[in-house]
Amino acid sequence: MSDNCYSEWKNWEESEFGKTPRHEKEYFKTLFKKFKLGRNKKILEIGFGNGYFLNFANEQGSMIEGIEIVPELVKRANNMGFKSYNSIEDIHKNNKYDLIVMFDVLEHIPQEEVVSFLNLLNEHLFDGGSIILRTPNGSSPFGLANQYGDITHCNVVTGEKLNYWTRLSGMYVDFADGDLYPFIYKHSLKKLPSKIIKRILFKIMERVFRYIFAPQPKGFLSSNLFAILRKK
């Protein structure tokens, strides 16, 4: 699939670049709050797409740069004042970050290239730096639609694979679970009680299924896997 076709398929309109939708904003707010990311972080986002997280992190006071293989998206980011690159190799070796973020990226990296890719990212982290990633959950039957709904996905990612890859790249998995679920999301406050009840039932069901089909990882019923990797 060509770069332009992929952007069109994703509905990434130029006029919407950097305009973070409400549901994405609530997701990012949950991310910052849950993991106490704070302000004034130096962040690199890999695969920034239409710039939703770039814009959000910038509004939070972080210094953020981005990588995107689609030249048109890099151009849009540069036009909005974000320093962006086509490849990690374009970044100077001495340029380091507190945090590297990858939403829906690792499934695009061939399995045999993951360790070298993570090694390269590790070199660009400050001591104590971390990588936050989200990917289709290869350990869950509910991750199938996310994994196989995009023809450019070439790698099925699980928590156990992450543990293996990080051991070989000088990092470790500090956190791995199902995806984040902001309570407000796109619904009105009137629907908040029902959403809370659904989340409680979801957690109970997951514990039951993990017990029945043990051993199963945390986030077994989530369509996405969310993880934090730390530099050793």
Side-chain angles (χ1 to χ4, degrees):
M1 183 182 291
S2 71
D3 294 338
N4 288 337
C5 286
Y6 192 78
S7 295
E8 290 174 6
W9 177 62
K10 284 288 190 177
N11 256 339
W12 288 336
E13 299 290 341
E14 183 174 2
S15 60
E16 297 301 311
F17 188 89
K19 296 179 181 178
T20 312
R22 184 178 176 229
H23 67 280
E24 295 279 11
K25 187 171 291 188
E26 294 301 330
Y27 183 92
F28 299 145
K29 282 182 181 178
T30 301
L31 170 65
F32 267 65
K33 184 176 180 180
K34 181 177 177 67
F35 298 104
K36 300 179 175 62
L37 296 184
R39 298 174 179 271
N40 303 317
K41 296 280 187 183
K42 188 177 181 185
I43 302 175
L44 175 69
E45 182 182 13
I46 298 178
F48 57 76
N50 218 28
Y52 300 148
F53 185 75
L54 287 179
N55 176 63
F56 177 85
N58 182 60
E59 290 179 344
Q60 300 304 303
S62 299
M63 188 180 79
I64 185 164
E65 300 175 0
I67 294 175
E68 179 56 66
I69 64 171
V70 181
E72 175 59 28
L73 297 177
V74 173
K75 180 181 177 182
R76 293 177 192 177
N78 286 329
N79 287 342
M80 286 194 66
F82 294 108
K83 193 170 185 178
S84 55
Y85 312 86
N86 274 124
S87 169
I88 186 74
E89 284 84 3
D90 295 336
I91 300 177
H92 192 278
K93 64 180 181 179
N94 293 328
N95 200 357
K96 297 185 183 295
Y97 303 88
D98 299 298
L99 175 66
I100 296 176
V101 177
M102 298 189 291
F103 296 117
D104 312 316
V105 170
L106 201 56
E107 63 272 21
H108 295 269
I109 309 296
Q111 185 165 276
E112 62 274 12
E113 298 178 13
V114 170
V115 173
S116 59
F117 177 66
L118 291 179
N119 272 321
L120 192 54
L121 298 188
N122 195 5
E123 293 175 3
H124 286 284
L125 284 174
F126 286 120
D127 290 341
S130 57
I131 296 173
I132 286 179
L133 66 88
R134 180 184 68 198
T135 184
N137 191 354
S139 297
S140 172
F142 300 103
L144 292 173
N146 288 353
Q147 178 65 42
Y148 296 105
D150 187 328
I151 64 171
T152 65
H153 292 178
C154 59
N155 187 9
V156 179
V157 182
T158 67
E160 283 303 309
K161 285 184 177 181
L162 279 180
N163 281 320
Y164 174 75
W165 291 328
T166 53
R167 286 195 191 104
L168 296 178
S169 54
M171 292 184 283
Y172 65 95
V173 179
D174 186 50
F175 176 90
D177 205 334
D179 205 357
L180 304 178
Y181 291 93
F183 272 124
I184 295 179
Y185 199 55
K186 61 183 178 182
H187 304 293
S188 66
L189 287 174
K190 291 180 181 179
K191 296 184 179 180
L192 187 57
S194 64
K195 188 169 180 64
I196 293 174
I197 292 172
K198 287 180 181 178
R199 286 301 300 158
I200 293 173
L201 291 175
F202 179 90
K203 288 295 184 181
I204 293 172
M205 288 176 61
E206 184 174 78
R207 289 191 177 188
V208 171
F209 276 94
R210 288 183 69 201
Y211 175 77
I212 295 173
F213 299 104
Q216 294 295 338
K218 287 184 177 180
F220 170 60
L221 295 184
S222 177
S223 60
N224 285 323
L225 171 65
F226 185 93
I228 297 181
L229 318 181
R230 303 283 187 191
K231 184 183 180 78
K232 289 182 178 178

